[in-house]
């Protein structure tokens, strides 16, 4: 008996990948992150032409490693915070992805990961509380 084939995954076009505000995090890739950085430079600093640090290939490699290591959600939050904190100068009028990953990410990412861990722990605790009808472990032991 032949196995039933899984339905094909919907194809995501390059234009859809560039729409980083609407694209679900599980579909993010390097193109999405590069577009996000270029868009935020345009919005925050008025940079019309994005010039990558040491070329696009270098930045793509850095973004790929960071995306693999930390995940899209943590990386998105880190990039957003970096743009809030960065103050452009005449010498450095834009925030490049290469600079962001190399110098700003090591400072901001631990904060983001700690906040995600706390949120996951709170969610887990609320699930446990909901399962126990709002009773703590000590109260359950007393009832038994």
């Amino acid at each position: 008996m032949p196995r039933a084939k899984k339905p094909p995954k919907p194809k995501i076009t390059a234009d859809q990948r560039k729409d980083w505000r609407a694209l679900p995090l599980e579909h993010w890739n390097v193109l999405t992150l590069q577009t996000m950085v270029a868009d935020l430079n345009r919005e925050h600093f008025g940079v019309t032409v994005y010039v990558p640090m040491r070329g696009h290939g270098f930045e793509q490699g850095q973004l790929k490693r960071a995306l693999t290591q930390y995940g899209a959600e943590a990386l998105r939050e880190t990039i957003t915070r970096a743009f809030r904190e960065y103050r452009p100068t005449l010498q450095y009028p834009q925030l490049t992805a290469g600079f962001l990953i190399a110098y700003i990410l090591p400072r901001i990412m631990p904060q983001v990961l700690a906040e995600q861990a706390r949120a996951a722990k709170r969610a887990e605790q609320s699930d446990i509380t909901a399962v126990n009808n709002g009773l703590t472990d000590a109260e359950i032991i007393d009832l038994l």
Side-chain angles (χ1 to χ4, degrees):
M1 175 179 229
R3 265 202 250 171
K5 290 185 178 179
K6 293 181 182 178
K9 292 181 181 178
K11 298 286 184 187
I12 299 173
T13 65
D15 288 335
Q16 289 172 320
R17 291 217 185 267
K18 289 180 181 180
D19 186 13
W20 57 273
R21 288 184 173 97
L23 188 67
L25 288 171
E26 64 267 9
H27 298 296
W28 277 40
N29 67 4
V30 173
L31 177 61
T32 311
L33 292 168
Q34 282 183 314
T35 305
M36 177 185 185
V37 171
D39 286 352
L40 290 176
N41 268 300
R42 191 175 313 104
E43 292 169 11
H44 287 262
F45 312 130
V47 174
T48 55
V49 178
Y50 177 75
V51 180
M53 176 182 171
R54 296 173 63 188
H56 285 288
F58 173 76
E59 282 194 352
Q60 288 170 346
Q62 282 192 309
L63 288 169
K64 178 64 177 169
R65 280 189 295 279
L67 186 61
T68 303
Q69 186 173 3
Y70 302 112
E73 183 177 2
L75 201 53
R76 179 188 62 185
E77 180 62 27
T78 300
I79 292 170
T80 303
R81 288 185 189 191
F83 272 93
R84 273 190 246 132
E85 294 178 11
Y86 184 73
R87 300 292 171 248
T89 64
L90 288 176
Q91 190 173 8
Y92 302 107
Q94 69 178 357
L95 179 57
T96 64
F99 181 81
L100 194 151
I101 298 295
Y103 297 103
I104 299 175
L105 181 131
R107 181 173 46 85
I108 296 176
M109 185 59 77
Q111 300 167 6
V112 170
L113 294 175
E115 288 173 9
Q116 286 181 343
R118 281 193 295 270
K121 189 173 182 179
R122 276 195 304 271
E124 182 181 312
Q125 290 297 327
S126 67
D127 289 345
I128 290 172
T129 303
V131 168
N132 295 336
N133 294 325
L135 300 175
T136 64
D137 291 339
E139 291 170 336
I140 292 172
I141 291 171
D142 289 340
L143 289 173
L144 297 175

